């Protein structure tokens, strides 16, 4: 029987330190399964285990703590990338027999990657991993599923969850196919309700951890993040100190001031109960403390003042919020 499901989701455009939060939660020993519900190797998760940095793209972070790690039916899987991640984790001493893939997950082929490169990569700034074409074949009902090919036979999941479940989101709220700035979005549902596709009911959701940063970043194209942002001296300093480069693509991310209205909207629609705002130390070190709210740029005297302002507005405007936590760059929450 399933006891409860906790979900970690991104509230911005990805890269909000979901990996760090999931990893900390998974290390508690509280969970029986850690699962991914959407996306593929377009994601990039950075996790620190005992001070060593690990980067994954597809395999859930439960693997670092000996917890069963499930890639759900809503995910898309590239065979080569999956097995190179398995090898990387094996070589690092982790038990990869805990990794399971839903037989209904779809397979990303070289043809999908070629189509992505030809039609979408330049126009939309995708990660060029074949994600869009794979999901489009799924929707057209002409795709290949994990159960259709032999490669994954040692990793097939029986589709049965029990105990306490932790769901690890990929990408973020504003990259969602329905909510984001279409067509500058990814091809899956990044909102936490989609985690139910793993095989539990909405009533079994206990906590929704929402991940955000104290400034916004965007990798890939988006008219909401114009190229001129890259020329702003303060935003450039934030991006440099915050090491805002894509884990998957190595591209320089565009940095902008935190848009508090968008954050509040993402919190409310996702149903976030526990909010973690990361990278506070970056603004603190630089002595830069600004955010966008109601179409105005607010400047504060200190990060403490800015944190206080954010928390007050969130408590005032977000009904489900139980806890707001501020955290620093990698390692600790
Ligand atoms: P796709 O998912 O490769 O099709 O890319 C679509 C859009 O989502 C592009 O703007 C990507 O930069 C963005 N994107 C996809 N995955 C991630 C992620 O894990 N972090 C940040 N941006 C992402
Ligand atoms: Mg990432």
């Amino acid at each position: 029987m399933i006891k409860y499901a906790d979900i970690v989701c991104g509230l911005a455009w990805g890269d909000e330190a979901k990996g760090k939060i999931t990893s900390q939660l998974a290390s508690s020993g509280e969970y029986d399964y850690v699962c991914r519900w959407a996306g593929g190797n377009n994601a990039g998760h950075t996790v620190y285990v005992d001070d060593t940095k690990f980067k994954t793209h597809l395999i859930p972070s439960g693997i670092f703590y000996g917890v069963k790690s499930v890639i759900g039916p809503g995910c898309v899987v590239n065979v080569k990338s999956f097995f190179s991640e398995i090898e990387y984790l094996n070589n690092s001493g982790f038990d990869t027999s805990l990794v399971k893939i839903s037989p209904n997950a779809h397979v990303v082929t070289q043809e999908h990657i070629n189509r992505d490169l030809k039609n979408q990569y330049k126009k939309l700034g995708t990660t060029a991993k074949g994600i869009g074409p794979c999901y489009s074949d799924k929707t057209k009902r002409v795709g290949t599923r994990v159960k259709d090919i032999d490669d994954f036979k040692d990793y097939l999941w029986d589709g049965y969850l029990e105990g306490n479940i932790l769901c690890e989101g990929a990408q973020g709220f504003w990259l969602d196919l329905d909510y984001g700035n279409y067509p500058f979005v990814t091809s899956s549902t990044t909102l936490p309700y989609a985690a139910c596709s793993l095989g539990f009911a909405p009533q079994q959701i206990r906590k929704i951890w929402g991940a955000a940063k104290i400034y916004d970043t965007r990798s890939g194209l988006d008219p909401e993040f114009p190229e001129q942002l890259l020329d702003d001296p303060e935003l450039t300093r934030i991006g440099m100190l915050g090491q805002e480069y894509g884990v998957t693509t190595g591209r320089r991310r565009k940095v902008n001031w935190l848009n508090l209205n968008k954050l509040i909207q993402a919190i409310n629609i996702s149903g976030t109960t526990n909010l973690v705002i990361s990278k506070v130390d970056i603004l603190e070190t630089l002595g830069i403390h600004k955010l966008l709210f109601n179409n105005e740029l607010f400047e504060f005297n200190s990060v403490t003042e800015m944190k206080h302002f954010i928390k007050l507005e969130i408590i005032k405007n977000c009904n489900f919020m139980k806890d707001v936590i501020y955290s620093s760059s990698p390692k600790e929450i």
Side-chain angles (χ1 to χ4, degrees):
M1 222 178 60
I2 295 171
K3 258 172 84 187
Y4 55 78
D6 289 343
I7 303 176
V8 178
C9 68
L11 296 172
W13 291 264
D15 314 311
E16 313 96 336
K18 293 178 294 293
K20 186 176 77 171
I21 299 166
T22 317
S23 157
Q24 285 231 339
L25 293 171
S27 71
S28 68
E30 177 185 345
Y31 298 98
D32 300 289
Y33 287 86
V34 179
C35 314
R36 267 279 296 267
W37 76 81
N41 63 332
N42 48 347
H45 289 173
T46 309
V47 164
Y48 286 82
V49 184
D50 298 333
D51 279 348
T52 309
K53 184 173 181 169
F54 294 96
K55 287 184 180 188
T56 54
H57 296 285
L58 187 65
I59 295 173
S61 312
I63 196 67
F64 298 114
Y65 307 99
V67 182
K68 281 181 218 126
S69 298
V70 171
I71 297 167
C75 295
V76 293
V77 188
N78 175 306
V79 181
K80 219 164 106 192
S81 149
F82 173 79
F83 283 100
S84 73
E85 212 164 295
I86 288 280
E87 196 186 330
Y88 163 70
L89 291 167
N90 262 335
N91 292 342
S92 310
F94 299 108
D95 178 6
T96 53
S97 71
L98 296 166
V99 176
K100 295 288 166 213
I101 314 185
S102 164
N104 289 349
H106 276 248
V107 177
V108 182
T109 63
Q110 187 57 45
E111 196 269 325
H112 290 139
I113 297 172
N114 297 345
R115 248 198 280 166
D116 197 353
L117 279 167
K118 190 162 155 241
N119 304 325
Q120 293 159 331
Y121 172 58
K122 281 226 175 75
K123 216 165 75 192
L124 303 178
T126 67
T127 60
K129 302 290 178 194
I131 305 299
C134 182
Y135 276 113
S136 97
D137 279 358
K138 171 180 175 174
T139 318
K140 282 193 275 187
R141 293 160 293 173
V142 295
T144 303
R145 288 187 291 179
V146 158
K147 66 172 148 199
D148 299 327
I149 60 173
D150 278 343
D151 305 63
F152 296 109
K153 62 181 186 315
D154 296 336
Y155 296 93
L156 286 186
W157 182 42
D158 61 10
Y160 184 68
L161 290 173
E162 55 184 353
N164 304 333
I165 320 297
L166 181 63
C167 307
E168 178 177 9
Q171 289 82 44
F173 188 95
W174 299 110
L175 290 175
D176 181 85
L177 185 56
D178 299 310
Y179 277 94
N181 189 15
Y182 188 92
F184 304 97
V185 292
T186 193
S187 296
S188 61
T189 302
T190 63
L191 268 64
Y193 71 84
C196 292
S197 65
L198 287 159
F200 56 82
Q203 287 89 339
Q204 288 169 306
I205 299 172
R206 186 184 67 156
K207 285 183 187 172
I208 299 185
W209 290 84
K213 279 193 301 216
I214 198 148
Y215 52 86
D216 285 338
T217 60
R218 178 69 159 102
S219 48
L221 297 179
D222 192 334
E224 277 185 31
F225 286 75
E227 296 292 316
Q228 296 91 284
L229 290 171
L230 294 170
D231 302 327
D232 183 288
E234 282 187 325
L235 295 173
T236 299
R237 284 169 68 206
I238 295 171
M240 301 270 276
L241 189 64
Q243 293 183 38
E244 297 299 345
Y245 295 90
V247 175
T248 303
T249 57
R251 295 179 295 190
R252 185 176 160 199
R253 297 174 185 148
K254 276 164 224 131
V255 180
N256 203 353
W257 310 110
L258 174 70
N259 185 324
L260 188 54
N261 300 87
K262 285 194 98 104
L263 178 60
I264 288 170
Q265 203 183 347
I267 289 170
N268 283 329
I269 297 173
S270 64
T272 294
T273 56
N274 297 65
L275 174 67
V276 182
I277 300 182
S278 305
K279 292 208 162 169
V280 174
D281 58 319
I282 302 296
L283 297 197
E284 201 152 31
T285 306
L286 294 173
I288 302 173
H289 352 86
K290 298 182 190 174
L291 58 77
L292 288 162
F293 190 48
N294 298 338
N295 296 316
E296 248 184 82
L297 187 64
F298 282 64
E299 191 163 354
F300 301 89
N301 290 318
S302 65
V303 167
T304 312
E305 207 180 273
M306 179 169 167
K307 279 160 59 176
H308 192 64
F309 182 87
I310 296 172
K311 201 165 176 168
L312 273 182
E313 287 303 326
I314 283 173
I315 290 168
K316 200 159 76 189
N317 292 295
C318 304
N319 287 337
F320 314 114
M321 189 58 63
K322 300 234 161 53
D323 196 15
V324 179
I325 298 171
Y326 285 101
S327 92
S328 309
S329 311
K331 296 183 191 168
E332 84 284 1
I333 278 193

